[in-house]
Amino acid sequence: MITLAEQNLSGGDIPYDESDFNNIRNILKEKSGISLSASKKPLVYSRLSRRVRLCSLPDFRSYVSFVNSPAGSEEQLCMIDALTTNVTNFFREKHHFEHFSQIVMPEIIRRAERGEKVRIWSSACSSGQEPFSIAMTILDSFPKANNYNIKILATDISFEMIDFCRRGVYSLKETESIPDNFLKKWSRKTGNEIHFSDDLKELVSFKNLNLLKPWPMQCQFISIFCRNVAIYFDRDTQNMLWRRLSDAVLPGGYLYIGHSEKIAPEIVPDITPCGCPTTYRKDI
């Protein structure tokens, strides 16, 4: 999940004006789908002034020109990373994981034992808490899951976050919401850190992916988690994303979205709300 942190401009020595801000937010919108309001002008300065200095550029106008040039393509990714802050926790919106365990897992087990490929997608995995929560839920119901063709695809726009996720290492504070019995099964404590087990990490494949660009995946997913992401997109981008996600869900599968998000039935008629909040089932 991607959210934009609130910060105040505390004064700065790098030239920065309205035109620079508008150019930067246009790049962010085009590349990531995130829409910045005018109130985020101080945030952009506070987040990017360090990047301007690291690039040895005199002002934001030069920085914008650089990230728009072929030579600045890598810096453009750094810019997007700098403007996005990942806020999440393990087993966030617990009702989704209860639904996944009670309703989806029996079908996953049936399909896996028939030799079918089973795929789950955490589509904006942020710092990894969501896909690892899914993995723990799967192994809790199906301890031999790694012996079958079951995999969680976890994607995020941030290369930095994907690198972090692959380590499978979190602070004690970050893991407080994980049940103790889960921690005992699939982690070890080293100092002030929790290191996830190889069994847990084996279930998850972390990849970089921009949700607004073409998706390389050829399969459909029995469940997709796309939570607290669309709220940062404008309405047209949201609707486009909901349609694409619906197409990627297997008939009879489920799409989990954020607590403040909603899919209008006239926009995506082939998925319908089920009994679990902000959970949609794909028509068979």
Side-chain angles (χ1 to χ4, degrees):
M1 176 198 68
I2 302 174
T3 61
L4 294 167
E6 297 291 344
Q7 293 191 14
N8 293 320
L9 180 59
S10 57
D13 55 356
I14 302 176
Y16 172 63
D17 60 24
E18 195 73 28
S19 143
D20 299 326
F21 170 66
N22 287 330
N23 286 329
I24 288 167
R25 69 174 176 176
N26 287 340
I27 295 170
L28 187 66
K29 172 72 185 318
E30 178 187 352
K31 301 301 180 181
S32 73
I34 296 174
S35 297
L36 288 179
S37 66
S39 66
K40 295 295 193 288
K41 183 179 175 182
L43 177 144
V44 169
Y45 183 94
S46 61
R47 289 299 179 87
L48 294 186
S49 55
R50 178 175 175 271
R51 299 301 317 170
V52 176
R53 292 189 183 95
L54 286 173
C55 293
S56 301
L57 294 169
D59 51 40
F60 272 80
R61 184 163 301 177
S62 303
Y63 182 76
V64 170
S65 296
F66 177 57
V67 298
N68 270 328
S69 70
S73 58
E74 185 174 339
E75 178 59 29
Q76 188 178 98
L77 297 176
C78 293
M79 185 195 84
I80 293 171
D81 273 2
L83 289 175
T84 56
T85 299
N86 301 274
V87 179
T88 185
N89 53 54
F90 290 97
F91 295 97
R92 185 181 186 184
E93 298 180 50
K94 187 177 178 182
H95 54 276
H96 285 158
F97 295 98
E98 292 172 346
H99 179 273
F100 182 83
S101 176
Q102 296 165 12
I103 304 300
V104 182
M105 275 309 304
E107 180 63 18
I108 286 177
I109 294 170
R110 282 192 291 270
R111 287 175 178 266
E113 290 181 338
R114 291 199 300 260
E116 296 180 24
K117 177 171 73 174
V118 178
R119 295 292 181 267
I120 302 97
W121 184 16
S122 171
S123 63
C125 69
S126 183
S127 46
Q129 284 89 338
E130 180 177 90
F132 282 127
S133 297
I134 299 169
M136 284 182 269
T137 304
I138 291 174
L139 287 175
D140 184 52
S141 297
F142 196 33
K144 296 181 179 180
N146 280 313
N147 296 332
Y148 294 86
N149 196 352
I150 300 173
K151 187 68 75 175
I152 302 159
L153 172 64
T155 64
D156 198 84
I157 193 172
S158 170
F159 286 92
E160 182 180 355
M161 282 295 101
I162 292 301
D163 288 342
F164 173 84
C165 292
R166 287 179 177 141
R167 295 176 60 235
V169 178
Y170 296 87
S171 68
L172 291 176
K173 181 70 174 177
E174 289 172 310
T175 59
E176 286 179 348
S177 57
I178 301 177
D180 288 343
N181 61 318
F182 283 14
L183 285 174
K184 289 177 183 177
K185 288 180 183 178
W186 301 301
S187 75
R188 72 180 191 278
K189 180 182 174 183
T190 303
N192 291 321
E193 294 179 333
I194 292 294
H195 294 241
F196 284 140
S197 68
D198 290 342
D199 284 348
L200 193 70
K201 292 190 290 185
E202 186 180 338
L203 265 182
V204 190
S205 178
F206 290 101
K207 304 288 183 183
N208 176 258
L209 181 71
N210 185 330
L211 287 174
L212 298 190
K213 293 186 176 180
W215 301 343
M217 303 86 74
Q218 302 298 317
C219 65
Q220 288 181 302
F221 299 87
I222 195 165
S223 289
I224 297 177
F225 289 71
C226 187
R227 306 185 304 167
N228 307 305
V229 177
I231 53 173
Y232 298 101
F233 299 157
D234 62 30
R235 186 56 56 85
D236 288 343
T237 305
Q238 288 180 19
N239 291 340
M240 175 272 293
L241 178 62
W242 298 141
R243 293 188 193 100
R244 294 181 72 194
L245 288 170
S246 176
D247 289 342
V249 179
L250 280 167
Y254 292 88
L255 171 62
Y256 300 97
I257 66 174
H259 62 88
S260 61
E261 297 166 337
K262 185 177 181 180
I263 303 175
E266 65 271 17
I267 299 299
V268 191
D270 59 348
I271 60 172
T272 52
C274 67
C276 181
T278 57
T279 302
Y280 293 78
R281 186 172 187 263
K282 176 77 171 283
D283 295 343
I284 296 176

